[in-house]
Amino acid sequence: MLKINNLHVSLDDEDKQILKGVDLNVDAGKVHAIMGPNGSGKSTLSYVLSGKDGYNVTNGTVELNGYDILELEPEERASLGLFLAFQYPIEIPGVGNMTFLRTAINAQRKSRGEDEISATDFLRLVREKAATLKIDTDMLKRPVNVGFSGGEKKRNEILQMAMLEPKVCILDETDSGLDVDAMKLVANGVNALRDEGRGFLVITHYQRLLDHIKPDIVHIMADGKIVKTGGPELAIEVENNGYSDLLDEAS
Amino acid sequence: MGAGETLQVKEGVDQETIDAVREVSTYKYGWDTDIEMEYAPKGVNEDIVKLISEKNSEPEWMTSWRLGALERWKKMTEPKWAMVEYPEIDFQDQYYYARPKSMVEKPKSLEEVDPKLLATYEKLGIPLKEQMILAGVEDNADTPSNDRKVAVDAVFDSVSVGTTFQSELKKAGVIFCSISEAIKEYPDLVQKYLGSVVPVSDNFYATLNSAVFSDGSFVYIPPGVRCPMELSTYFRINAENTGQFERTLIIADKGSYVSYLEGCTAPKRDTAQLHAAVVEIVVEEDAEVKYSTVQNWFPGDEHGNGGIYNFVTKRADCRGDRSKVMWTQVETGSAVTWKYPSCILRGNESQGEFYSIAIANNHQQADTGTKMLHLGKNTKSRIVSKGISAGVAQNTYRGQVNMHPRAKNSRNYTQCDSLLIGDKCGAHTVPYIEVKNNSSRVEHEATTSKVDDDQLFYCRQRGMDEEEAVALVVNGFCKDVLQALPMEFAMEAQQLVAISLEGSVG
């Protein structure tokens, strides 16, 4: 579904190579986890996949369901079904959460040539999805992420994901800043979306999120490359021994 | 992109899409009406003033009032203190009077109005039929219909084409008609109030307006009456090289209430056009007036050619105790805007509010704000201004808050926010604050921010294109003001914000 092939990326501003040949295939129905130490290029990968400015792809390809997405605008990638749950969700003052959601849904529908969602369908859907994430009406009305706690912001990301029904979901350190209860809520939200047609790329530092979102495949990223790939046991190994042993082994 | 120009179309795109694209990517109201016009000769002098007065069949006192204004105007000079630059205006190279020939004999009812004129307003989304309502300036399917009526006075170039719902309003005792009609029908009221808020000598443009104004709206709400519907005036400049000088006079007698809306558009022209209006509002004891404007005059093209020069004097006089006035404006059009809707808070415990969104894109220049003059005790005012600059535009907030010695225990709160899109535009805030007693309080908060790349990326990651994302962020920035607008206008204003900022990014 998502095919990353030999991806090399440097920063626009400085001549610094961040990704040095990433190869990764995310298949439909699978949850892939990427773990790795700080500065290994995990977040950069998520930004490059979603089309953020400031990065320069020097080599390699990324395909989503057969489309070469590196030439596409961020919104075109979104409409093809790529979703990024941000590590630091952005505040948009004055824009109600519901307005934001509805605008986003309709923008994607429009670009796919579908009709806009009706007001009643939208309301029904958003209430249903919000309830499972324990997001109350007040939070739906408040401006996007403004004054939200860390946990609320992350739940809100998952709500957007649930509403937009993407094909590939990238979760960038969704567990950062969450207490155990909030993490469970978020994990439940993600698990509810696990589906044969949907692939996940879960980026995290720690094993603890993976206790709740069970990955099928675990990749270790270091210095801009995937250095090791394995099953869920790999995450536990990291938790017990840290990265250094693995990295030594890989080099 | 005009209707006549060709649009590059990919294969397989249907006509509906092409039309939709054409519609959203242009100044929507830039077409003109081909109609036979009658002009007064170019320029302004005694003869022209007399001619305008004669065309309106005005009484002697009105003619001499105008001539007095002209005499003053000749000795005045154009104000230059605003942060706007434009080529010298040749005041003698303008038409001061233009009316459709079919309006020479004023139609007695709307049925008799030239179908071309009715069609013009229909196309603008302002149906001049009484069974229809004004749903913003556009017919909006989301708006509940029938339960809200809005009376419209439609002004086309120099004359009022017609006013709807007059008889229904009359039953409530409300007078709503063109000012030319009011001068003839209600001379006592007009003589008593005209020029009492904005004196003839007030400023260069107001004085010029006093000499040559040709039409506008007149509203009188009798004591204790809550106006049964929203009133509105829709101004359309059609003729070329023609200035529009309208005059609006609103009188809210003791304990009355009225909400008044104003909309404006003009065709695309290569040459700049002059608009110098005066609005006077008198608010008596316990009365309340809400005045909302969506100003969408042609802003000029992306290279700065053409557009309306908008020099407007708007002022409300809260004469009575506990009187209230609220100005709300959405300024998206005009090449140059010079406008400061003000409140004189004369009555004790009177209140003035000013909510403003001013958008300047491409080469537009806006110098706009308000004056709050606190004269009475325990008076309150609130100013919320949102300025948005894009392209190479300059946007200035200029506001004056004045607490007189006897305005004891009065308060003002000012919030003034500027938003920049891109790095070639400018935002300026020029507050003048003068407090002459020690029991009053004035607060001023100002912020300047840029549309944040992270916000845009966030919106785009969720599927919105760049322009949609900008529109969403900017609408959020303006929310406090949009909320102050009547519902129909709020919807139109939101769309306008989006359209005005097209091409401002990327």
Side-chain angles (χ1 to χ4, degrees):
Chain A
M1 181 176 269
L2 181 71
K3 290 186 178 155
I4 304 169
N5 181 23
N6 193 30
L7 188 64
H8 286 71
V9 172
S10 63
L11 287 179
D12 260 357
D13 298 346
E14 38 189 313
D15 199 22
K16 191 181 169 195
Q17 201 76 24
I18 311 268
L19 299 184
K20 303 172 179 170
V22 175
D23 290 292
L24 181 64
N25 287 345
V26 179
D27 295 322
K30 298 282 190 238
V31 174
H32 291 245
I34 297 187
M35 302 180 75
N38 286 327
S40 56
K42 303 188 300 294
S43 285
T44 297
L45 178 64
S46 72
Y47 287 142
V48 171
L49 292 177
S50 51
K52 192 176 183 185
D53 281 346
Y55 301 97
N56 187 13
V57 176
T58 52
N59 204 352
T61 57
V62 178
E63 276 182 26
L64 176 60
N65 282 335
Y67 292 92
D68 174 6
I69 61 167
L70 289 177
E71 292 303 312
L72 299 181
E73 297 293 336
E75 61 270 25
E76 293 170 320
R77 303 180 193 201
S79 296
L80 283 175
L82 186 97
F83 182 93
L84 170 64
F86 283 59
Q87 183 179 3
Y88 304 107
I90 309 293
E91 300 184 1
I92 309 180
V95 177
N97 221 356
M98 296 250 258
T99 307
F100 180 80
L101 266 174
R102 203 174 155 193
T103 310
I105 289 177
N106 283 333
Q108 292 203 11
R109 285 184 169 223
K110 203 169 96 189
S111 78
R112 292 193 291 252
E114 300 162 10
D115 286 340
E116 291 199 347
I117 188 167
S118 75
T120 40
D121 284 353
F122 173 77
L123 268 179
R124 192 181 42 75
L125 202 64
V126 78
R127 287 207 179 112
E128 180 193 308
K129 309 269 186 197
T132 60
L133 286 159
K134 297 211 169 134
I135 290 174
D136 60 15
T137 325
D138 178 56
M139 206 173 127
L140 288 173
K141 286 183 183 157
R142 274 154 59 190
V144 181
N145 293 324
V146 177
F148 284 26
S149 70
E152 285 175 330
K153 284 184 180 174
K154 296 298 170 75
R155 267 146 62 201
N156 201 34
E157 291 293 289
I158 305 305
L159 174 67
Q160 293 176 13
M161 191 164 97
M163 291 295 289
L164 291 166
E165 299 180 331
K167 299 275 192 299
V168 172
C169 308
I170 305 166
L171 280 71
D172 187 8
E173 304 207 13
T174 295
D175 51 335
S176 67
L178 293 189
D179 60 31
V180 179
D181 292 336
M183 187 150 59
K184 276 185 188 160
L185 267 177
V186 165
N188 287 343
V190 172
N191 290 330
L193 288 168
R194 289 179 77 154
D195 176 295
E196 282 179 11
R198 189 170 287 140
F200 287 83
L201 194 57
V202 180
I203 295 172
T204 181
H205 272 298
Y206 305 107
Q207 150 70 18
R208 56 176 196 167
L209 180 67
L210 304 179
D211 286 340
H212 302 285
I213 305 173
K214 297 258 189 279
D216 298 298
I217 298 146
V218 176
H219 309 274
I220 308 294
M221 192 163 178
D223 194 27
K225 278 183 183 170
I226 304 284
V227 294
K228 191 163 186 181
T229 295
E233 71 287 348
L234 193 53
I236 295 162
E237 202 184 319
V238 168
E239 185 73 7
N240 295 336
N241 306 329
Y243 288 111
S244 41
D245 286 359
L246 274 171
L247 298 185
D248 291 344
E249 185 187 319
S251 62
Chain B
M1 187 163 50
E5 293 165 50
T6 49
L7 197 70
Q8 295 258 317
V9 181
K10 283 186 198 161
E11 250 175 84
V13 178
D14 61 7
Q15 189 58 39
E16 205 176 327
T17 312
I18 298 167
D19 292 343
V21 168
R22 189 169 270 146
E23 194 158 320
V24 296
S25 63
T26 53
Y27 177 72
K28 267 178 86 169
Y29 309 106
W31 43 271
D32 61 0
T33 308
D34 185 14
I35 197 162
E36 252 194 288
M37 296 296 288
E38 179 194 63
Y39 294 92
K42 268 188 183 174
V44 57
N45 54 47
E46 256 181 55
D47 291 341
I48 294 290
V49 170
K50 281 181 185 161
L51 182 82
I52 294 169
S53 194
E54 193 190 302
K55 294 269 184 204
N56 286 347
S57 325
E58 285 173 356
E60 170 62 31
W61 60 265
M62 194 65 237
T63 317
S64 47
W65 196 81
R66 288 174 178 277
L67 289 170
L70 179 69
E71 279 313 302
R72 281 183 180 276
W73 182 73
K74 285 182 186 163
K75 298 185 196 96
M76 294 168 98
T77 47
E78 246 180 293
K80 294 285 181 203
W81 43 260
M83 208 177 278
V84 290
E85 275 176 42
Y86 50 91
E88 193 79 29
I89 300 172
D90 183 351
F91 288 90
Q92 298 303 339
D93 193 32
Q94 303 268 333
Y95 290 108
Y96 286 81
Y97 190 83
R99 74 172 164 189
K101 279 209 167 140
S102 60
M103 294 298 292
V104 172
E105 281 286 319
K106 189 148 189 181
K108 284 177 198 65
S109 71
L110 281 166
E111 282 75 47
E112 292 176 24
V113 171
D114 185 345
K116 262 193 186 170
L117 286 171
L118 292 180
T120 298
Y121 285 92
E122 194 79 44
K123 195 169 168 188
L124 290 167
I126 315 292
L128 294 181
K129 290 179 195 151
E130 298 197 349
Q131 69 268 31
M132 297 173 86
I133 62 146
L134 174 80
V137 168
E138 257 175 307
D139 223 12
N140 199 315
D142 291 343
T143 318
S145 54
N146 297 326
D147 45 348
R148 280 174 81 102
K149 284 181 188 165
V150 179
V152 182
D153 183 25
V155 178
F156 189 90
D157 290 329
S158 303
V159 293
S160 167
V161 171
T163 312
T164 60
F165 291 108
Q166 268 178 315
S167 58
E168 194 171 333
L169 287 165
K170 220 168 200 167
K171 273 184 221 151
V174 172
I175 304 170
F176 181 40
C177 62
S178 67
I179 193 129
S180 56
E181 204 177 324
I183 290 167
K184 284 172 273 182
E185 304 291 328
Y186 311 98
D188 295 348
L189 281 174
V190 175
Q191 259 187 300
K192 182 174 172 193
Y193 291 107
L194 187 73
S196 73
V197 183
V198 178
V200 169
S201 57
D202 197 77
N203 70 70
F204 183 82
Y205 302 108
T207 306
L208 177 62
N209 174 288
S210 301
V212 302
F213 78 86
S214 42
D215 221 333
S217 302
F218 175 82
V219 175
Y220 174 77
I221 317 287
V225 170
R226 195 180 165 87
C227 188
M229 62 185 85
E230 309 239 11
L231 305 183
S232 72
T233 301
Y234 195 87
F235 296 103
R236 175 76 175 168
I237 298 179
N238 189 61
E240 219 163 345
N241 296 322
T242 302
Q244 192 174 51
F245 302 90
E246 81 270 3
R247 187 110 192 169
T248 297
L249 178 57
I250 299 174
I251 302 142
D253 216 326
K254 288 179 184 172
S256 67
Y257 168 86
V258 65
S259 168
Y260 186 93
L261 321 171
E262 177 198 74
C264 344
T265 59
K268 281 178 155 182
R269 306 273 190 212
D270 297 338
T271 48
Q273 281 180 287
L274 185 61
H275 173 255
V278 172
V279 175
E280 295 181 274
I281 303 179
V282 177
V283 197
E284 300 285 8
E285 209 173 280
D286 294 306
E288 184 178 352
V289 175
K290 287 186 180 166
Y291 192 105
S292 314
T293 307
V294 172
Q295 186 265 106
N296 186 21
W297 296 119
F298 178 51
D301 66 16
E302 64 271 33
H303 308 295
N305 300 315
I308 301 289
Y309 291 171
N310 194 29
F311 300 102
V312 174
T313 306
K314 292 185 170 182
R315 196 171 301 153
D317 189 354
C318 288
R319 287 190 188 165
D321 292 350
R322 297 169 303 279
S323 55
K324 267 191 202 171
V325 72
M326 178 168 136
W327 295 103
T328 308
Q329 61 169 24
V330 179
E331 302 283 313
T332 63
S334 294
V336 173
T337 299
W338 181 98
K339 180 182 168 188
Y340 317 91
S342 305
C343 303
I344 303 171
L345 302 172
R346 203 184 297 277
N348 293 329
E349 291 166 54
S350 59
Q351 289 183 30
E353 289 174 74
F354 173 78
Y355 296 92
S356 169
I357 298 170
I359 299 180
N361 192 5
N362 296 323
H363 289 264
Q364 282 178 278
Q365 305 171 68
D367 192 304
T368 184
T370 185
K371 282 189 229 173
M372 293 291 175
L373 304 179
H374 293 252
L375 304 176
K377 293 188 187 95
N378 304 313
T379 47
K380 277 189 203 159
S381 65
R382 183 183 171 85
I383 299 169
V384 178
S385 162
K386 305 278 180 176
I388 298 131
S389 322
V392 291
Q394 295 296 325
N395 202 335
T396 303
Y397 166 80
R398 191 181 300 277
Q400 182 180 7
V401 176
N402 206 318
M403 300 284 182
H404 276 242
R406 70 178 194 89
K408 300 249 188 319
N409 298 311
S410 294
R411 295 188 59 172
N412 161 265
Y413 172 74
T414 301
Q415 186 193 333
C416 182
D417 300 321
S418 305
L419 187 69
L420 302 171
I421 302 173
D423 51 12
K424 294 184 182 69
C425 53
H428 316 274
T429 303
V430 191
Y432 305 82
I433 299 169
E434 202 173 35
V435 181
K436 290 183 176 160
N437 68 60
N438 52 22
S439 58
S440 293
R441 217 165 92 191
V442 175
E443 289 173 72
H444 181 97
E445 285 180 27
T447 65
T448 302
S449 50
K450 275 191 77 167
V451 168
D452 185 14
D453 286 344
D454 286 340
Q455 286 176 331
L456 295 183
F457 176 63
Y458 191 63
C459 294
R460 295 178 72 189
Q461 207 302 305
R462 299 304 185 242
M464 300 169 214
D465 65 31
E466 198 163 22
E467 284 182 343
E468 245 177 321
V470 170
L472 189 83
V473 171
V474 172
N475 269 314
F477 172 77
C478 299
K479 192 179 166 218
D480 297 348
V481 177
L482 289 170
Q483 277 176 334
L485 284 169
M487 191 184 66
E488 301 89 335
F489 258 31
M491 287 182 179
E492 190 209 350
Q494 279 192 15
Q495 291 169 4
L496 254 184
V497 166
I499 292 169
S500 320
L501 290 170
E502 256 162 31
S504 64
V505 286

